[in-house]
Amino acid sequence: MRITVTALTALAVGLLPATAAHAQPGAPGLKIKESRFHVKAIGPGFVLKLSPGGLDVRIDEERFGDPATGNPIERQTIDLTGRTLRPFECRNGTYTIKTGTFKRTWRVSQFAKRPLPYTDGFAASAPGIFTPFVGELEGTVTDADGRTLRFLISDLVQEVLTPESFAATAPIHGLFIDEHGRVRDRISLIGRFNSGRDGQNAVYGIEDRGTCRQIADLPFGPGSERAVVTGPLFVLPFSAPVTEPKHH
């Protein structure tokens, strides 16, 4: 849903907020603990752990998302091998996906429109509120010198829509690991959004503690230009300010 390839968006210069978003809460129900090469995310009915040793996701189907809605848990696995995908531009290299899979699990809490600056094009591609969305990417990449590295990426979304407010947290974390087991580059991008139900007093932004970040126009129509992305993945589907908190 967040991979910016036209074939995959079938699931998948915006307004700037008046206030910086570095201290905003984002969506309730998702906790992230992060150190330099380890991430633990705890959400509604799932626990995700990312480290150089691997990406591990445990899902409790009885508690995943909001079962009371009656909406089913959806699953999809996409083969990334052979696809033409935007490379990851990182501090220590540019990486093109050679082989890999994108495993996605999500539950829609309700079918409703997100407020501006989420675009109509994004609403058509992703009509439901994700509470939550869990993405797991694993595979290999090649750098400009032809070296092969392993990659592990977690791609999460937690959105909560109430009669009074809309909130979202959209973190992407990843590791690019060389043949000696060393982490060459890391992704740490956390998007957060808070507003009234119809977008009143919207505050949003992205924290970047990693070494991989790009700007790209997304295929979601006017308002989706100049979004923060990492390779083929986007953080928020519109332009948003970035802060760089002190690295761990």
Side-chain angles (χ1 to χ4, degrees):
M1 285 125 190
R2 297 168 66 199
I3 193 162
T4 59
V5 180
T6 303
L8 305 184
T9 57
L11 159 198
V13 175
L15 300 174
L16 288 176
T19 309
H22 61 276
Q24 70 185 104
L30 177 61
K31 296 181 180 179
I32 301 168
K33 299 179 180 179
E34 178 182 359
S35 61
R36 187 167 174 79
F37 298 137
H38 294 77
V39 177
K40 182 177 183 180
I42 302 173
F46 77 89
V47 176
L48 178 148
K49 296 179 182 178
L50 171 67
S51 72
L55 176 59
D56 180 69
V57 178
R58 306 292 174 91
I59 291 177
D60 182 342
E61 294 200 5
E62 293 184 358
R63 297 178 52 247
F64 187 74
D66 185 0
T69 64
N71 296 325
I73 296 174
E74 306 281 354
R75 288 184 170 88
Q76 184 181 36
T77 299
I78 297 170
D79 186 357
L80 303 178
T81 304
R83 294 181 181 269
T84 300
L85 303 171
R86 182 170 48 240
F88 298 90
E89 295 178 9
C90 301
R91 186 177 302 161
N92 300 306
T94 297
Y95 310 115
T96 300
I97 292 178
K98 182 179 179 182
T99 66
T101 58
F102 186 10
K103 181 180 178 182
R104 313 193 293 193
T105 306
W106 71 94
R107 193 195 292 267
V108 171
S109 58
Q110 54 185 303
F111 290 95
K113 190 174 180 180
R114 301 167 183 84
L116 290 172
Y118 288 85
T119 68
D120 289 341
F122 184 71
S125 295
I129 304 299
F130 300 134
T131 313
F133 170 87
V134 178
E136 309 163 57
L137 295 91
E138 300 186 51
T140 62
V141 293
T142 54
D143 66 10
D145 297 321
R147 298 188 185 95
T148 298
L149 294 88
R150 185 166 57 103
F151 73 88
L152 302 165
I153 300 174
S154 63
D155 177 18
L156 305 177
V157 182
Q158 169 75 353
E159 299 175 324
V160 176
L161 180 66
T162 74
E164 294 80 30
S165 66
F166 175 75
T169 300
I172 301 175
H173 290 91
L175 302 173
F176 295 92
I177 305 161
D178 68 17
E179 67 272 22
H180 304 294
R182 296 186 295 248
V183 175
R184 187 189 291 183
D185 277 296
R186 63 187 292 263
I187 302 167
S188 176
L189 296 163
I190 303 178
R192 293 185 176 91
F193 185 103
N194 294 91
S195 76
R197 167 88 186 203
D198 298 317
Q200 306 95 320
N201 303 312
V203 180
Y204 51 89
I206 296 167
E207 292 183 358
D208 182 4
R209 292 183 174 85
T211 61
C212 303
R213 184 177 88 219
Q214 303 148 253
I215 298 295
D217 295 340
L218 301 181
F220 302 126
S224 65
E225 304 89 354
R226 297 197 56 76
V228 173
V229 305
T230 180
L233 301 170
F234 63 89
V235 187
L236 295 170
F238 46 81
S239 178
V242 177
T243 58
E244 297 184 7
K246 213 171 182 182
H247 286 218
H248 291 239

